[in-house]
Amino acid sequence: MARTTTLGKHQSTKFVFICVALLGFALIADLLWASSSSSSSSAYLYGVSSSNWPLQESHNFIPPHLHNTTATKGNKDTLPQRVVLSATFADLPAPELEWEEMAAAPVPRLDGAALQIKDLLFVFAGYGTIDYVHSHVDIYNFTDNTWGGRFDMPKEMAHSHLGMATDGRYIYVVTGQYGPQCRGPTARTFVLDTETKKWQDMPNLPVPRYAPATQLWKGRLHVMGGSKENRYTPGLEHWSLAVKNGKALEKEWRSEIPIPRGGPHRACVTANNRLYVIGGQEGDFMAKPGSPIYKCSRRNEHNVLNNQEDNDEMKWKVLPPMPKPDSHIEFAWVVVNNTIIIVGGTTDKHPVTKKMTLVGEVMQFDLDTMKWSVTGKLPYRVKTTLVGFWNGWLYFTSGQRDRGPDNPAPRKVIGQMWRTKLHL
């Protein structure tokens, strides 16, 4: 009897040891997969005139000295300190910036769009909930820090994941997802005169695209990448259309050199006569097959990019990667003093929980030195922020924030507006 008990204990101990070993192997494999997913991304410039800059490791960023605290308007209490995660998914070392909470947006938004013209931030569309999408525009006035001037979008216009660019008066809106849940994209394209608040049709994109990188460059409206009609397959196609003063000068889009890596949720920036495409991801949630409401499946988004691409002579070149892979940043950027500022976003899914990990930092790319650094921490981690800059203040509003200081997974869709004095 004693021998049987001893043997049982020995077998039990052996079984537990094997389980622990297998679990450890699985975790190591998952971490290696996550690491390779991040490091495989690079950055691109569309045709810069000089030779390629050398690639840097994603951890070679410049953390500024720590300073400041975070407080809400009228409340001097410091916000809870964030609990640091382990390994690659930790928050980046960064200063505690002093954030001031401003008037919240009229509605919460996720995957909306926004562009700034002078002291006005035009905020478009977006999810209110997974089953409800907005179909109007709100305007934030940076001079008097108030919201107002709401007006409707065209009924045929997409409600989220829009491509968008402006020349300083006219806003060009290209394709995007039409409807809630995980419906597919439309090819419809429009232009808004921000002075008259009038909409006009533009030539449709050759095929529908979901969250394409979009920007005005050298007199042409460029649209590239994004996801194809199933929301998951990355598109590499790149088109352009000559435009001027809110009108298309051509009847059809022209094919351009394809982007090296496609996918949605990328920042697309013009600076110094160059076109930059930054971050993003390959893959996105899809609708469940046969679902009459196109209900989003639980298929994970994956392969978040830390890449940056640059184009100046109609060819793509690779630039140094971001401090960490970052997606959902298509309207989360501004250019200040020859520096690209990126606010929040999402990085790779957590290797243990398998959940999306939000980004809680402000990052910057110096266009003179071609180096990344970390500007500071946000009040919380958040994705799909809508960003503006006015009179030395960096603003962000809307998006989806984290579950708390110790949990970087997404939870609540928000409409809060924050600002911090930016020192570059």
Side-chain angles (χ1 to χ4, degrees), residues 75-92:
N75 180 5
K76 300 302 182 182
D77 293 336
T78 302
L79 292 180
Q81 293 298 309
R82 194 174 302 155
V83 176
V84 178
L85 297 176
S86 60
T88 347
F89 301 87
D91 299 321
L92 297 174

Side-chain angles (χ1 to χ4, degrees), residues 130 177 180-184 229-232 284-300:
I130 191 66
Q177 178 179 310
Q181 287 283 347
C182 282
R183 292 179 182 270
E229 290 86 338
N230 65 0
R231 295 179 99 253
Y232 188 83
D284 210 332
F285 296 114
M286 299 174 67
K288 288 186 176 181
S291 171
I293 63 169
Y294 298 87
K295 186 177 180 63
C296 294
S297 70
R298 293 184 179 275
R299 181 173 186 174
N300 286 323

Side-chain angles (χ1 to χ4, degrees), residues 59 65 97 120 254 260 279 285 365 395:
H59 59 269
H65 296 295
L97 299 176
L120 300 178
R254 184 176 81 187
F285 296 114
F365 184 69
Y395 291 77

Side-chain angles (χ1 to χ4, degrees), residues 221-242:
L221 180 60
H222 287 259
V223 180
M224 67 214 84
S227 291
K228 295 186 177 182
E229 290 86 338
N230 65 0
R231 295 179 99 253
Y232 188 83
T233 305
L236 301 177
E237 296 90 345
H238 175 190
W239 301 279
S240 74
L241 182 72

Side-chain angles (χ1 to χ4, degrees), residues 57-66 81-97 306 321-326 342-347 357-364 372-378 381 408:
E57 294 297 326
S58 61
H59 59 269
N60 287 344
F61 56 89
I62 309 166
H65 296 295
L66 301 180
Q81 293 298 309
R82 194 174 302 155
V83 176
V84 178
L85 297 176
S86 60
T88 347
F89 301 87
D91 299 321
L92 297 174
E96 294 285 351
L97 299 176
N306 66 348
M322 306 177 75
K324 65 164 70 172
D326 203 8
I342 305 285
V343 178
T346 63
T347 191
T357 302
L358 300 186
V359 173
E361 295 83 37
V362 179
M363 294 177 274
Q364 64 184 61
W372 284 96
S373 61
V374 181
T375 310
K377 291 184 179 180
L378 293 164
R381 307 174 190 91

Side-chain angles (χ1 to χ4, degrees), residues 1 6 50 110 166 219 226-227 245 292 335 343 363 370 378 381 402 407 424:
M1 189 74 164
T6 303
S50 61
L110 171 65
T166 184
S227 291
N245 296 329
V335 179
V343 178
M363 294 177 274
M370 293 294 164
L378 293 164
R381 307 174 190 91
D402 59 18
N407 191 339
L424 294 178

Side-chain angles (χ1 to χ4, degrees), residues 62-325:
I62 309 166
H65 296 295
L66 301 180
H67 64 280
N68 295 341
T69 58
T70 305
T72 59
K73 189 174 183 180
N75 180 5
K76 300 302 182 182
D77 293 336
T78 302
L79 292 180
Q81 293 298 309
R82 194 174 302 155
V83 176
V84 178
L85 297 176
S86 60
T88 347
F89 301 87
D91 299 321
L92 297 174
E96 294 285 351
L97 299 176
E98 185 175 349
W99 290 94
E100 179 183 4
E101 188 169 7
M102 312 303 289
V107 296
R109 276 185 173 88
L110 171 65
D111 288 317
L115 287 176
Q116 181 178 345
I117 296 178
K118 298 179 182 177
D119 64 342
L120 300 178
L121 184 69
F122 291 81
V123 178
F124 299 76
Y127 288 97
T129 69
I130 191 66
D131 294 308
Y132 177 79
V133 286
H134 301 300
S135 57
H136 71 277
V137 182
D138 291 308
I139 303 174
Y140 188 80
N141 188 313
F142 291 118
T143 300
D144 57 19
N145 288 302
T146 59
W147 291 92
R150 170 176 170 152
F151 60 97
D152 291 335
M153 303 179 338
K155 292 182 179 180
E156 301 83 3
M157 188 173 136
H159 301 100
S160 67
H161 302 86
L162 302 161
M164 193 175 290
T166 184
D167 61 5
R169 173 175 174 174
Y170 297 94
I171 294 178
Y172 300 89
V173 183
V174 183
T175 188
Q177 178 179 310
Y178 190 86
Q181 287 283 347
C182 282
R183 292 179 182 270
T186 174
R188 294 295 299 270
T189 301
F190 300 89
V191 60
L192 169 68
D193 184 339
T194 59
E195 293 187 3
T196 65
K197 308 296 189 300
K198 298 289 181 65
W199 295 90
Q200 297 292 333
D201 288 330
M202 296 278 287
N204 289 352
L205 204 64
V207 294
R209 282 292 175 266
Y210 165 88
T214 305
Q215 191 53 266
L216 280 169
W217 185 48
K218 297 185 177 181
R220 302 186 70 84
L221 180 60
H222 287 259
V223 180
M224 67 214 84
S227 291
K228 295 186 177 182
E229 290 86 338
N230 65 0
R231 295 179 99 253
Y232 188 83
T233 305
L236 301 177
E237 296 90 345
H238 175 190
W239 301 279
S240 74
L241 182 72
V243 295
K244 185 176 181 179
N245 296 329
K247 297 186 182 299
L249 305 182
E250 300 167 334
K251 293 183 179 180
E252 296 181 350
W253 292 79
R254 184 176 81 187
S255 292
E256 303 283 1
I257 298 174
I259 194 167
R261 298 186 73 166
H265 299 303
R266 314 184 77 180
C268 190
V269 184
T270 52
N272 304 327
N273 207 30
R274 294 170 176 170
L275 179 66
Y276 297 83
V277 181
I278 305 169
Q281 65 189 51
E282 292 171 326
D284 210 332
F285 296 114
M286 299 174 67
K288 288 186 176 181
S291 171
I293 63 169
Y294 298 87
K295 186 177 180 63
C296 294
S297 70
R298 293 184 179 275
R299 181 173 186 174
N300 286 323
E301 301 177 87
H302 69 283
N303 201 19
V304 180
L305 308 177
N306 66 348
N307 64 336
Q308 178 173 300
E309 301 144 0
D310 179 46
N311 189 324
D312 182 37
E313 296 174 337
M314 306 311 292
K315 58 185 178 181
W316 293 101
K317 293 188 177 180
V318 178
L319 297 183
M322 306 177 75
K324 65 164 70 172

